[in-house]
Each structure stands twice: as structure tokens, then as C-alpha cells.
Amino acid sequence: MPDVSLPTRMHKIRGLLSLPRSSRTVPILLLLILVAVPLITPSRSMLNLLTEIFIMGIFAMSYDILLGYTGIVSFGHALFFGTGAYMTGLIFARTGPKLGYLFLAIGGGILLVTVMALIIGYLSLRLKDVYYAMITLAFAELFFIIAEKWRSVTNGADGFSFNVPAVLQDRVVYYYVSLVLLALIVVFLRRFIESPTGKVLQAIRENEKRAEFLGYDVLKFKLISNVIAGVVASFAGVAWALQQRFVSTGVMTVDKTIDALLMTTIGGTGTLYGALLGSGITGMAKNWLSELAKVHPIFERWYIIFGLLYIGIVLFFPGGILGTLMRIRSTKNKPSVTISAGD
Amino acid sequence: MAEPIIRTQDLTIMFGGHTAVDHVNLDIMPNKFVSIIGPNGAGKTTFFNLLSGQFFPTSGRILFKGHDVTDIPAHLRTRLGMGRNFQISNIFPDLTVLENVRLAVQARSGIHYQILRHHRKYSRFSDQAMALLESVKLSGKAAQPSRFLAHGEKRKLEIAIILALEPEVLLLDEPTAGMAVEEVPAILELLARLKTDKRTILLVEHKIDMVMSLSDTLVVLANGRLLAQGNPRQIMENEQVQAAYLGGIAP
């Protein structure tokens, strides 16, 4: 009798923990479509737009690690994005457009961002909620001002342009490069949030005190979250600089962080894919609305329209688009879940 | 005589001018069921918060298994062998019931910083968590988000979480607080079952009749001071206690 019941019980537990199988089909299908896009359309602007969406999607996903998975609101996340972008820009501007220097930019970015994330995190992550958000705002402004004033290096808000290796200048090649980067980061971040450490982050988001009284060192976990989110954001910054071939203090602004915050909230926090969806919607809407400017000048102020869209989503879909969809699906499945768990 | 598992020496905490816990010297012997009772505002929960590391004392010391833990943060006290619940249910509301317990099992196992392996690879954590849920009769709700549980079930879930930590000392702060009358017997039965195991249980309780039969020792706090301690009968007969706490209830 026991040798029958134990495996069944274990099987039941596995069943309870595993996600519906379709959670993998959608991303893979989407990836295949995206791989095919350059074969279907030769439109340069389309490829550029998608590349931008991928890169901002990486940035937004890194923000979701903080906001959606650890439950911390940061206004200084662009700091890490900007560090990656400046690292790339400065190295290429001062040396030459050789591929080897790219690895220097990536490696240097990882190192610098890790140190920054640890120091800033150590100084600020002890504070809770609003106070933490305020400290990150202060750090963001501090680094923005440094970048602004240190004109001999950064050329301030005017920025500077630089050449990138010839192979990366090809739009189709760079489209695939950024798509591969995106896919790798999705795999890595999914792995991370499903790891024992990632699960503890979600526990901290839910109830910091309880996590602490389970014996988890909350500050250390928040630091890990901050470093991983920071490093991923710096990758996005590197990719961004390579696409734009231009860096200015714009990459460091609080606006940039707010962009990631909006994308994550629109798509759905704590879902990872929601951040990507948010990046897609934001990118498409921006593009579409600025094209409508030819029809009527009001659309030049696309940010206003976007603001209305954002308010609508926050009011009517508090879980974001993906979050709301998932909730609908889980309520639909609920009776079957209860039965399978109850018997 | 055995060494006390917890010893407080002149334990004191002041909030502004108010002394919430006032020079408490208390020895808790291992493998006993000790209940701390006292009127509202006696400092019971504050005393608990000092023991578990949520507050740090103004003066005095706390010894746990002979070691001075006065300045040790809460998460390390948990790892040393203290497990506590809270008067207001303290769970992870959006995570499933099973995940709530699984996280505690994982914490106990010491797998904290592992970022590249899938958590489901550690299937023994889930199995152990499921077994604990069965022991508090919640296994049927394992897949639900824990916020959907009834109040009494949340308290049971909390107990399962603490048991997963395999603590030497269980610190339970009013496990029946805010509970419907019909839910109380299930918790009492659970507490009675916990008692049979080899562990020290320290319970804070407001309702004295509830803990009478369960406790080996009663500790009475009043106005932050240790008023009396002894077995339930001694406490009931103690005139000081009757005056300060039981008032008109006892004859």
C-alpha cells in the first residue's frame, strides 16, 4: 500500500507545482515569428523599431525583477542602463570600431555595475518602500548631474556619436544579435526567478518580515536582486548604444527609469513577459502615434495620449495586461484545480 | 537540574518614557510547554518580540542555549533554532499554500543562494512541505493562493510554516487570536499534539482557561514585570495574580 500512495502523492505534488504546458508554446511561437520577420519584410524602419523594442524589453524585464519579483520601487534603474551605454560609447569613441572592444565594454560594464549596485544597494536597501524610492531618486540625480557636468568626457546633454564594428552596422545582423540577446536573457531570468533564490525574492515581496523570520537574510537577497537587475540593465544599455551609435545624458535620466516602470506596469508586473509586452505596446504606440501626427498635430504630443492609455490600464487592469489575462485564465481553471487538489 | 534553553537577565525595553518590559529575569526549561499570560498591555508580545529579535532591548541580556543572542538579528535567531508566529497572521498571501511551507523547508535546508537550478529540482522540499500540510490538515488546499484560506486555516498554515523550520523553541503569539469559536478546538488539538514532541513551546495567551490544561508552567506578566511563575495550580492560587489579573473571575 505505501509504495502505491507515495509515488501518487509525489506525482500530485509535481502536478500542483508545474505550470500549464502552454506557457512555453506561446514564447517559442513568438520567437519563431520574430526570426522570420526580416525574411518577410525588408523595411528598415520596421527592423529598427523591433530592435528597439527588444532592447527596451530587456531593460523593462530587468526592472520587473526589482518591482515585480522583489517588490522594490527604484527610480534609479537608468543608472545601470546608462553605465552600459556610456561604457560602450566611450570605449568605441576613444579606440576604434573593433569587435574585441565590445567585450571590454560588456565586461567593464558588468564589473562597474556590480560594484555600483552593491554599494548603492547596501546604503539604501535597508530603507523601506517610499524612503528607498527617494534614495534611489537622489542617486539617479547625482549620477545624472555628474554626467551632465563632466563635459570633457560625456559632452553633456549634446552627447557624442561613435562608430561601431562594421558587422553590427548591418540592420538585419543587428536585429538578430539583439533578438538572440533577448532570448538568452529571457531564459536566464526565467531560470533565476524559478530558482530557490528567486522564490525567496517573491517571498520578500509578499511579506518581508515573515521571510526574515524564516531565517532568510533579506538585505542580502535584495542585493542579489539589485545586482542581477543592474547587470541585465547594463546589457540593455550596451545594446542600445550599439544601435543608436550615440550616447547622451538622456540614457541616465529618471525618465528612462519611468519608461521601464510604465512598460512593466502596462504589461503586468511580476510576469517577466509582461515587461516585453509593455515594451512592444509602448514602442508600437509611440511609432504609430507619431505617424498620425501627419494627420493631426495633436498626435505630436503622443506622450499625452500615452498617459491616458496608462491611466486607463492602471484603473481597469491593475494587474497589467498579462497579469489580468493570467488571472482570468486561473479563475476559469479554478474548479478543476480544487478538485484535483482535494481528492 | 538541566540548563535553561532561554534565559533573560534584567530584560528591559523602554519606548520613550514607557517601560514596556521591566527587568524580567526568566528561565525557560527545555522541552516544556510554557505559557505567558497577563492582562492586555502587560508586555507579553513585546517580551516575545525581544526574544525573537524583532526589537532590541534597552538593557539586559537574552541567552539562548547558553549563548548571548541579545544583539543577534532575527534571521540568525531563526537559524539557531527559534521559530515564531505572529498575532496577526503572517503568511505570503499571493503564494500558494504549498509554496508558503516549501519556502520554510528550503530556509531550514540552507539552500539560500542558488540562482541557476530550478527550485522544483529539490523535490524533497515539496514532499516535506506536503507532509507538513497533511499534519495540519491543509493538504487539500495546497494549490490555492494562501490569501483564500479562512482565518483559522491561516493560523494552521503558520504553524506548519514554523514546524518546517524544525525549531527547538516554538514561539507562539496568541495562535487563536481573532478566531471563530468553532475553529478554536482544532488549534487546541494541534497544540496538544505539538506538546507530545520533544520541543520547547512558549505560548503567549490572553485567555487563561485555554492554556491551563496544556501548560507545564505559567508565567504571569503585569505592567511589564514578572509577577509570578509556577505550575497552573500554583498560579491559580497565587493571591497576587488573582488581584492583578484574574480579578473577579477567580473565587
Side-chain angles (χ1 to χ4, degrees):
Chain A
M1 189 62 185
D3 19 312
V4 180
S5 72
L6 188 65
T8 4
R9 203 181 81 197
M10 303 224 305
H11 178 76
K12 204 162 83 184
I13 294 165
R14 300 289 139 66
L16 294 177
L17 284 169
S18 62
L19 288 160
R21 204 160 280 132
S22 60
S23 74
R24 222 171 241 178
T25 16
V26 176
I28 288 174
L29 216 65
L30 200 63
L31 182 67
L32 289 177
I33 293 170
L34 288 173
V35 166
V37 166
L39 309 173
I40 301 162
T41 166
S43 159
R44 263 176 61 104
S45 63
M46 183 61 166
L47 290 187
N48 273 339
L49 176 63
L50 284 175
T51 307
E52 204 178 310
I53 287 172
F54 298 160
I55 295 169
M56 288 313 284
I58 294 171
F59 183 46
M61 281 194 299
S62 76
Y63 194 75
D64 197 24
I65 293 293
L66 293 178
L67 180 68
Y69 287 94
T70 321
I72 47 188
V73 181
S74 164
F75 286 117
H77 202 49
L79 207 60
F80 305 124
F81 182 88
T83 304
Y86 267 112
M87 197 68 131
T88 312
L90 289 173
I91 284 177
F92 279 122
R94 280 162 195 242
T95 57
K98 291 210 183 69
L99 213 49
Y101 292 126
L102 179 58
F103 297 104
L104 191 67
I106 294 171
I110 293 177
L111 214 67
L112 190 61
V113 162
T114 304
V115 172
M116 278 163 60
L118 283 176
I119 294 174
I120 296 173
Y122 192 79
L123 292 175
S124 56
L125 281 169
R126 291 158 195 280
L127 300 172
K128 302 247 148 85
D129 309 331
V130 158
Y131 304 99
Y132 171 75
M134 279 158 72
I135 282 274
T136 60
L137 192 60
F139 273 110
E141 285 299 313
L142 175 73
F143 279 84
F144 175 72
I145 290 167
I146 291 172
E148 193 94 314
K149 296 289 169 198
W150 201 2
R151 288 192 66 90
S152 60
V153 173
T154 65
N155 203 25
D158 299 330
F160 60 94
S161 54
F162 50 91
N163 284 323
V164 300
V167 60
L168 296 178
Q169 286 183 25
D170 185 281
R171 284 299 149 195
V172 176
V173 171
Y174 198 64
Y175 173 86
Y176 282 118
V177 168
S178 52
L179 183 58
V180 167
L181 181 69
L182 173 67
L184 288 177
I185 283 174
V186 166
V187 170
F188 169 71
L189 287 181
R190 283 219 66 87
R191 225 343 75 128
F192 173 59
I193 57 175
E194 291 296 331
S195 73
T197 303
K199 287 287 169 186
V200 177
L201 293 184
Q202 290 157 58
I204 290 171
R205 172 196 73 197
E206 292 285 300
N207 187 340
E208 192 171 323
K209 193 157 99 180
R210 181 73 264 179
E212 189 184 355
F213 278 94
L214 290 187
Y216 291 119
D217 188 342
V218 169
L219 179 65
K220 246 185 227 169
F221 281 94
K222 285 183 172 179
L223 281 175
I224 291 173
S225 170
N226 207 29
V227 167
I228 287 186
V231 168
V232 172
S234 84
F235 289 163
V238 170
W240 175 262
L242 289 174
Q243 191 198 15
Q244 306 292 320
R245 297 173 220 159
F246 171 81
V247 180
S248 73
T249 48
V251 294
M252 287 272 202
T253 53
V254 174
D255 286 7
K256 204 89 194 155
T257 307
I258 303 281
D259 281 347
L261 174 70
L262 291 183
M263 288 172 193
T264 318
T265 320
I266 289 170
T269 54
T271 59
L272 214 55
Y273 290 124
L276 276 184
L277 184 67
S279 170
I281 291 173
T282 316
M284 292 289 183
K286 197 162 105 181
N287 192 47
W288 182 59
L289 290 171
S290 35
E291 260 171 36
L292 277 183
K294 289 170 203 153
V295 183
H296 192 285
I298 181 134
F299 292 108
E300 262 171 49
R301 305 273 172 269
W302 61 270
Y303 237 114
I304 298 174
I305 296 166
F306 202 75
L308 291 175
L309 175 72
Y310 176 69
I311 291 168
I313 285 177
V314 169
L315 281 179
F316 299 112
F317 304 98
I321 295 170
L322 208 60
T324 308
L325 284 178
M326 281 163 73
R327 184 154 290 189
I328 290 168
R329 206 166 82 168
S330 77
T331 17
K332 239 193 250 166
N333 290 344
K334 210 179 153 197
S336 72
V337 168
T338 329
I339 290 162
S340 74
D343 63 11
Chain B
M1 204 171 166
E3 280 284 298
I5 189 157
I6 292 179
R7 161 172 279 177
T8 67
Q9 295 176 336
D10 286 325
L11 197 63
T12 303
I13 188 167
M14 304 207 298
F15 298 112
H18 173 65
T19 311
V21 173
D22 194 357
H23 294 91
V24 172
N25 289 293
L26 182 65
D27 283 355
I28 308 285
M29 302 314 283
N31 306 325
K32 295 279 183 214
F33 195 117
V34 181
S35 295
I36 301 176
I37 58 171
N40 275 330
K44 303 181 300 276
T45 295
T46 310
F47 180 68
F48 239 51
N49 288 338
L50 287 169
L51 290 186
S52 65
Q54 198 180 344
F55 296 154
F56 292 97
T58 315
S59 65
R61 296 206 302 157
I62 302 164
L63 302 179
F64 182 54
K65 294 190 276 184
H67 303 289
D68 190 337
V69 295
T70 316
D71 299 319
I72 287 184
H75 72 273
L76 292 179
R77 291 192 204 190
T78 302
R79 284 191 225 169
L80 285 173
M82 285 188 193
R84 77 162 290 183
N85 80 336
F86 296 85
Q87 208 175 102
I88 297 158
S89 280
N90 219 329
I91 52 175
F92 304 115
D94 271 340
L95 305 182
T96 65
V97 171
L98 181 62
E99 179 66 8
N100 267 270
V101 184
R102 199 201 61 81
L103 279 161
V105 177
Q106 181 188 308
R108 168 69 186 163
S109 78
I111 305 286
H112 289 205
Y113 309 113
Q114 166 56 267
I115 65 166
L116 289 175
R117 240 181 127 200
H118 200 290
H119 72 278
R120 253 178 275 148
K121 289 275 192 310
Y122 300 93
S123 54
R124 62 178 193 279
F125 296 171
S126 314
D127 297 344
Q128 227 171 308
M130 200 64 182
L132 281 160
L133 283 179
E134 263 160 37
S135 77
V136 297
K137 304 194 172 85
L138 276 180
S139 52
K141 308 217 164 172
Q144 287 186 17
S146 60
R147 65 172 189 279
F148 292 141
L149 294 181
H151 183 74
E153 292 172 328
K154 284 182 184 158
R155 310 292 335 209
K156 284 197 218 162
L157 173 59
E158 246 195 312
I159 290 174
I161 290 172
I162 304 164
L163 289 178
L165 300 170
E166 295 170 17
E168 285 171 66
V169 178
L170 269 176
L171 301 169
L172 300 175
D173 192 358
E174 297 200 27
T176 62
M179 204 174 266
V181 189
E182 61 270 20
E183 290 176 317
V184 173
I187 295 288
L188 288 183
E189 188 256 336
L190 184 58
L191 290 178
R193 264 197 291 140
L194 295 180
K195 193 188 163 182
T196 58
D197 287 320
K198 274 228 153 238
R199 57 167 73 92
T200 312
I201 298 176
L202 200 55
L203 181 80
V204 160
E205 193 45 72
H206 182 65
K207 295 165 234 146
I208 186 166
D209 49 331
M210 202 194 99
V211 296
M212 268 319 193
S213 57
L214 285 172
S215 309
D216 300 313
T217 308
L218 289 184
V219 174
V220 187
L221 289 182
N223 295 322
R225 296 215 177 129
L226 180 64
L227 193 65
Q229 60 174 314
N231 66 40
R233 236 197 44 215
Q234 290 169 330
I235 293 298
M236 284 304 275
E237 286 164 2
N238 187 315
E239 278 172 24
Q240 257 184 310
V241 175
Q242 286 176 12
Y245 177 47
L246 301 171
I249 302 167

